Amino acid sequence: MRQLILISFFTLISILSFAHGGEFVTINNVNIEETETSYIYHFQFKNINERALSDIRIDLLINSKPVQFIEIKSIKNRERYTDKQFTIAKDGFNIVEDVVQIEITEVYGKKSHWGGWHSPNLTFKKKIAMGRLRGRDWTTKQSNTLYSESYADAPWRMKKLDENGNINSIPVHCYIHDAHKLVGLTLQLDYINIRIKNSTATNFGPVLKYNMLNDAAFKAMFSSKSPNDPQLEIQEFKDASFTSSNDYTMDFNEDSDFFGDDYVEVDEPYYYFTFNIPATDLVGMEDIIDLEVTFSFANFTIDDETIGLRVFRSSDDLPSLTDWYRGDTHLHSLFTQNSAETGLPIEATIEAAKLIGLDWFTS
């Protein structure tokens, strides 16, 4: 899906969202200019506190190996931005697969990790290296980070059976947040895959697929879908935007590009839905189930995101008392809008809360 095909020899890609700043300096406003033979990484060295600086070194690393550097003898007081660039020859370099870092390694001649920038695929590669993907790290991503982010969540604990003794489906909430903050591109959601396994198993089973169902039956498995709400900047999740597939759990195909790739464009702060894993996929499984949810994007600069979840199922209700109602007094939701915390939409939270055994919550 990630095709890098030249339309012209001078393409400019702006990717600002992967800077990691220090206390004094950082790298900002990275733009990649594509020519016939090279990629030119234009960037700004930012003097955060506008103080006089000297003996600065900025290194270019490819796959963690230093390949070039720039030295700046001095920067004057109040000089906030300094424009610089690195040029990388295309020969032997893969902009999709190779990890590019622009790191400030010396200030005042002192070596340290002063700040820098990395290409989008570094986060994914680091997770692979640390064993935090493919079912080894069972924590829900809940922190709020800069720019677009993808979340998956499910009840950490839930009732295994409904009031009629039938197996409950497992709701998996998928949520894309702040897609509008991507610079220079629009987020293109290609497909989502879900796999499950018993917690005692080493490997996941195959991708859950529903191509044998008719369209109405497949789309009945979705709930808590984001409405069209311009006032709250919520993008509508449309039934017509996706289908079942021979390859994926759900395949998004509302939009397409010149090369025939299909996807749905997400460009609002909030876009979400819940997919309910049906009881037919859960028959015979143990009470502790692991889930792997993968968001795949058609944008070649954005890596797939894989999130691991663990759900504990119980046939027993939580203990209760007459006229006593269990709840949560502190819960973040979609309406928590700050740089440190975020939460899921109210509709999805209600679905999960009922299965967990809560009677109420405040947000």
Side-chain angles (χ1 to χ4, degrees), residues 32 52 114 133 142 214 216 221 223 255 272 302 306 328 345 361:
I32 306 172
W114 293 96
L133 294 183
Q142 294 183 5
N214 63 48
M221 300 162 69
S223 59
D255 305 296
Y272 54 85
I302 299 179
T306 300
D328 190 332
F361 62 83

Side-chain angles (χ1 to χ4, degrees), residues 117-347:
W117 173 92
H118 64 255
S119 58
N121 47 7
L122 178 58
T123 300
F124 181 75
K125 290 175 182 288
K126 271 189 174 179
K127 286 181 180 179
I128 289 288
M130 295 170 63
R132 293 176 59 188
L133 294 183
R134 308 303 174 197
R136 295 186 180 91
D137 184 12
W138 298 107
T139 56
T140 305
K141 174 183 174 182
Q142 294 183 5
S143 60
N144 186 22
T145 57
L146 290 175
Y147 301 94
S148 182
E149 52 207 348
S150 306
Y151 295 92
D153 208 351
W156 68 270
R157 184 261 183 206
M158 62 175 285
K159 299 175 183 178
K160 182 177 180 178
L161 306 175
D162 65 18
E163 58 187 12
N164 296 317
N166 300 314
I167 296 175
N168 275 317
S169 60
I170 296 178
V172 180
H173 190 70
C174 299
Y175 176 35
I176 294 178
H177 177 241
D178 279 355
H180 69 302
K181 291 184 177 180
L182 284 174
V183 179
L185 56 86
T186 301
L187 192 70
Q188 299 170 343
L189 178 59
D190 189 354
Y191 62 85
I192 294 177
N193 276 342
I194 300 175
R195 301 198 297 164
I196 61 176
K197 71 177 183 67
N198 292 318
S199 64
T200 54
T202 304
N203 299 312
F204 280 95
V207 171
L208 298 181
K209 292 179 284 191
Y210 303 95
N211 53 298
M212 300 302 293
L213 297 178
N214 63 48
D215 191 60
F218 175 59
K219 292 179 177 177
M221 300 162 69
F222 292 75
S223 59
S224 295
K225 296 175 281 190
S226 53
N228 177 26
D229 192 331
Q231 183 175 1
L232 292 179
E233 298 181 289
I234 300 175
Q235 179 172 326
E236 182 180 4
F237 180 81
K238 301 176 183 177
D239 283 351
S241 67
F242 68 97
T243 61
S244 59
S245 166
N246 294 326
D247 301 307
Y248 314 124
T249 304
M250 60 200 78
D251 185 18
F252 293 87
N253 51 19
E254 180 178 38
D255 305 296
S256 61
D257 59 23
F258 178 80
F259 307 108
D261 292 334
D262 55 20
Y263 46 80
V264 61
E265 290 193 341
V266 182
D267 56 5
E268 293 291 343
Y270 308 109
Y271 180 78
Y272 54 85
F273 64 91
T274 296
F275 176 76
N276 296 279
I277 300 175
T280 51
D281 288 319
L282 305 173
V283 173
M285 296 200 70
E286 299 170 5
D287 287 344
I288 305 176
I289 297 177
D290 291 337
L291 290 76
E292 180 191 76
V293 184
T294 300
F295 294 78
S296 183
F297 302 97
N299 308 87
F300 78 87
T301 56
I302 299 179
D303 283 301
D304 295 351
E305 175 124 22
T306 300
I307 299 167
L309 304 169
R310 174 165 285 176
V311 176
F312 295 81
R313 301 188 299 166
S314 176
S315 299
D316 300 320
D317 286 334
L318 294 173
S320 62
L321 297 172
T322 303
D323 296 328
W324 184 81
Y325 302 94
R326 181 178 288 102
D328 190 332
T329 61
H330 185 154
L331 188 146
H332 292 281
S333 74
L334 176 149
F335 297 104
T336 303
Q337 299 185 30
N338 61 60
S339 59
E341 297 166 309
T342 188
L344 299 186
I346 293 292
E347 308 96 302

Side-chain angles (χ1 to χ4, degrees), residues 4-16 29-36 38-44 84-87 90 95 117 182-186 300-301:
L4 184 60
I5 300 177
L6 302 183
I7 299 175
S8 71
F9 290 133
F10 297 96
T11 303
L12 195 65
I13 307 168
S14 178
I15 40 181
L16 311 183
N29 298 335
V30 178
N31 292 278
I32 306 172
E33 178 186 353
E34 181 181 1
T35 71
E36 185 174 4
S38 62
Y39 296 103
I40 303 172
Y41 282 69
H42 300 272
F43 64 92
Q44 291 180 320
K84 293 293 179 180
Q85 67 184 48
F86 284 111
T87 300
K90 285 184 175 180
I95 195 172
W117 173 92
L182 284 174
V183 179
L185 56 86
T186 301
F300 78 87
T301 56

